[in-house]
Amino acid sequence: MLKKLALSVAVAALAAPAIAQDLSSMSWDEIVAQAKEEGEVNWFVWYLQDDFRGAVKAFEEEYGITVNIPEGTQAANNDKLLAERDREAGDIDVMAFSFNQVAVWDLPSLFMPLSDVLPEDVGRTYSLNGSDAGGYGVGYWGNQTGISYDPAKISEEALPQTPEDFAAFWAANPGKFGFNYEKGGSGPSFYQNIFRNLTDVDYESGEQSDEKLAATQPGIDFFNEHAENYVVTASNADSITRVSDGELWMAPGWEDHVAGLQRKGEVRSEIKFYVPAMGMNGGGNAVSIPVNAPNPAAAAVLINWLASPETQTSFNVNFGTAPLNAAADSSNALVPADQRANSRPWPAKPFRDDLEQKFVEDVILER
């Protein structure tokens, strides 16, 4: 596979940049024809590689285009993209990245403008929770943090919705709610939104200052005041496992993670999931075409397929994702459609790093 990938990149090296520049002047039928001539596409995605290799078989059968998904971490893929940006032709055709990167990267210098290339689809997602890819990236994977709970222990009507509700639940049911502070973002999402509701701080600005950090003290005080009544877990996975096993009644989690574990039979199917009214962080991942992609037409066809209503519906059913095409069917989602309005953006960095460090020092280490 690696030899084949290297050979295809070498062969395409001279022609690729010209093709990439010409896509915007081509009709969609011409792009699809060019994609079939290219014959393959290299999709760099850092998670669920084996699952995606199975998912894209439908695309390969429909278009006769081979999808190569190399192994690689998020950091390694990001580093590779930046390291290759000055090459005439790189190795990456389709680059997957978190919408959080929109605030970090100069998208026009790295990627082709997809809005000029893809066929019209008003349902596509180009911005998510305040992160706007400006037409250079299209959403294909929506994720949402929320609260997993055992409906045999707590009814839907009694679910906590505010910081005060959670404090009351903890007091009435000590040791039955747990959250992680590391090894996964669901726990941090929970405490960050408690902070949001108790403080007057601009969490969407990454600006750092001692005064801004000090203003989060009401959140610190809240968790310290109720420290005896909640449990600190080891990770996202530990939290949901302990809910499924009955040790905990409620714990933060990721919608797609919980759905995936239920699909594999590793978490009880009875476990439910909700996004409280106080809000919890959500986001997602996008795909783009690097300006020096060796197979840009095939990349465009794959991205159009990934972002389509049909594929977004399939991802919701099979992976538990939040659909990122308005025409997709979300009826199989763990999160009811009306609760999507409770999604919040992640606090901006570098302030978020300061906040998480303060939480560890002033709450976790004080327990």
Side-chain angles (χ1 to χ4, degrees), residues 43-56 68-78 94-99 128 138-144 254 256-257 260 263-264 283-287 306 312 315 318-322 324:
W43 181 17
F44 280 68
V45 59
W46 72 93
Y47 62 99
L48 296 180
Q49 286 105 336
D50 283 340
D51 293 291
F52 281 131
R53 291 182 187 114
V56 298
N68 305 314
I69 302 178
E71 295 295 329
T73 65
Q74 183 177 26
N77 288 355
N78 290 354
V94 175
M95 180 69 183
F97 59 92
S98 167
F99 265 97
L128 191 64
V138 176
Y140 76 98
W141 187 277
N143 50 41
Q144 177 64 50
W254 287 94
D256 54 346
H257 184 219
R263 190 179 72 252
K264 295 175 182 177
N285 305 323
V287 278
L306 288 170
Q312 287 298 294
F315 281 8
N318 295 309
F319 297 123
T321 60
L324 292 185

Side-chain angles (χ1 to χ4, degrees), residues 12 50 69 112 123 126 250 310 328 332 340:
D50 283 340
I69 302 178
M112 294 173 50
Y126 289 97
M250 304 180 71
E310 295 78 14
N332 289 284
R340 299 288 177 196

Side-chain angles (χ1 to χ4, degrees), residues 51-66:
D51 293 291
F52 281 131
R53 291 182 187 114
V56 298
K57 289 188 181 300
F59 171 85
E60 293 176 323
E61 292 173 1
E62 180 177 355
Y63 291 100
I65 299 170
T66 300

Side-chain angles (χ1 to χ4, degrees), residues 111-125:
F111 302 117
M112 294 173 50
L114 295 177
S115 55
D116 294 341
V117 173
L118 301 179
E120 183 177 356
D121 182 348
V122 296
R124 287 196 200 100
T125 297

Side-chain angles (χ1 to χ4, degrees), residues 265-283:
E266 297 175 11
V267 164
R268 286 189 289 129
S269 61
E270 296 85 3
I271 299 303
K272 292 190 175 183
F273 193 89
Y274 81 107
V275 183
M278 72 174 190
M280 293 219 15
N281 300 339

